[in-house]
Amino acid sequence: MAAIQTATAATLEAALSRLAHAPLLDHFLDGTLLTDDLLYCDDGAIFAQRLGGAQAAIVPPSSRCPHAAYDLTAALVEHLQSLGHRVLQTVVPNPPPQSMDALARVGFVHVTDLIFLARSVTVDDAFIPPRLAFEPACMDDLEFAALIEATFVGTQDLPELNGTRSVEETLIACQAAARVEPPLWWFASLEGSRIGVLQMAPGEEPGDIELLYAGLVPSARRRGLGRELTQAALAIAVALEATRVHLSRDARNESAGHVYDQLGFQPVRRRAVWLRICRDSAQHSQRLQESETESS
């Protein structure tokens, strides 16, 4: 078994030298990535990013030694689960890299592909369909998270995640993805009743906006409201002076694909989603709450 170590401030650069990835030092220095989640040995390294709530993303190990790759992956999974992260994910190109063998050995499964799409926006998109009304949600709004959970019922977007998080954990995950405060979150209402949500965030490049999630409760589906919800997101992007909107969808969600096609979104890339889910919720929720309290 490889002699695995956890990176520290003193060993950070040595650990990163074992990774075959783009430079990551700044992300560790600014706190986006934590040294506690970077493991290394003589033959390679692996790291994860905590996504908020009960989720974390693992980047496949960098190692030419299959045994070291497995030992690194198993150690990182054990570490994350000890902190209460029940949903572990990785998003990789297809076909998957050889390093995914190590993740498969510890229980990761390829569940679907994500199709990433993008579209330019202009003043011609500044139109909010009249059937829907929108009101902003604040950063600590549990009602927003509860409505997101309600839109997950019967969803075709990663249904494997249903029931893996509490409402509080859903809110924490939303907060982690917000990037600005107040967040770009809205309740969507039809005839006075809240029936959906829009969750958006600034993109990585100037002028970009990400439509992270648009969801409707089951009773509001199959009425053309999904298209109107997405059209409203385009109008909001124009109001925010964005020039391009990015989103992704589960490849299995063909109905959403039709809507995005009709609205002019173009595919940019396709990636495979691998998941490992631990449903021992009571034990792991307690550990997660303790770890978040300690880090706050």
Side-chain angles (χ1 to χ4, degrees):
M1 181 175 180
I4 297 172
Q5 301 180 65
T6 300
T8 65
T11 62
L12 179 57
E13 292 194 27
L16 290 176
S17 70
R18 293 162 169 81
L19 289 170
H21 301 289
L24 294 166
L25 180 61
D26 288 347
H27 295 298
F28 282 96
L29 295 179
D30 68 15
T32 302
L33 299 172
L34 304 177
T35 55
D36 286 352
D37 303 330
L38 171 59
L39 306 184
Y40 70 101
C41 65
D42 288 343
D43 295 312
I46 189 172
F47 71 97
Q49 181 177 6
R50 305 182 196 188
L51 302 178
Q55 299 181 96
I58 291 181
V59 176
S62 290
S63 177
R64 294 182 179 180
C65 173
H67 296 295
Y70 169 75
D71 290 344
L72 286 163
T73 304
L76 184 58
V77 167
E78 182 179 3
H79 161 67
L80 292 169
Q81 289 195 325
S82 74
L83 297 175
H85 296 279
R86 298 190 301 282
V87 180
L88 306 182
Q89 67 180 55
T90 189
V91 180
V92 295
N94 260 330
Q98 188 68 35
S99 55
M100 285 304 299
D101 290 348
L103 278 81
R105 288 180 62 191
V106 299
F108 278 78
V109 177
H110 176 207
V111 295
T112 190
D113 285 0
L114 281 182
I115 300 174
F116 293 82
L117 305 106
R119 178 192 189 280
S120 297
V121 290
T122 68
V123 292
D124 294 335
D125 296 305
F127 168 74
I128 294 182
R131 282 201 296 175
L132 296 176
F134 292 87
E135 57 181 311
C138 62
M139 189 69 92
D140 60 353
D141 198 330
L142 272 176
E143 291 186 8
F144 183 76
L147 189 54
I148 286 179
E149 287 292 314
T151 68
F152 287 165
V153 175
T155 183
Q156 296 179 41
D157 284 312
L158 287 169
E160 293 82 4
L161 298 181
N162 284 1
T164 62
R165 299 182 298 184
S166 66
V167 171
E168 291 78 10
E169 288 167 341
T170 295
L171 180 60
I172 291 169
C174 290
Q175 291 168 341
R179 300 178 186 162
V180 292
E181 190 171 0
L184 306 180
W185 303 346
W186 289 270
F187 293 101
S189 296
L190 177 69
E191 298 175 352
S193 297
R194 289 175 173 174
I195 50 86
V197 296
L198 282 176
Q199 181 189 357
M200 303 173 73
E204 295 182 358
E205 299 295 332
D208 285 359
I209 285 285
E210 293 186 21
L211 176 52
L212 300 176
Y213 183 66
L216 294 167
V217 298
S219 61
R221 295 172 190 160
R222 304 185 186 280
R223 300 165 62 181
L225 293 171
R227 178 190 174 97
E228 294 185 18
L229 193 63
T230 309
Q231 177 60 60
L234 297 176
I236 290 171
V238 173
L240 294 171
E241 299 184 347
T243 56
R244 194 164 179 82
V245 174
H246 298 259
L247 56 82
S248 63
R249 71 168 179 91
D250 189 319
R252 298 169 294 187
N253 192 347
E254 294 183 357
S255 59
H258 292 317
V259 168
Y260 300 145
D261 287 346
Q262 292 169 359
L263 289 173
F265 281 89
Q266 298 294 320
V268 176
R269 61 188 182 277
R270 184 174 180 132
R271 295 290 184 267
V273 179
W274 292 63
L275 294 177
R276 186 185 191 279
I277 298 172
C278 174
R279 296 185 182 273
D280 185 8
S281 57
Q283 180 183 13
H284 288 284
S285 287
Q286 181 178 357
R287 290 175 181 170
L288 183 65
Q289 291 168 4
E290 289 171 353
S291 68
E292 288 175 344
T293 299
E294 291 171 357
S295 61
S296 63

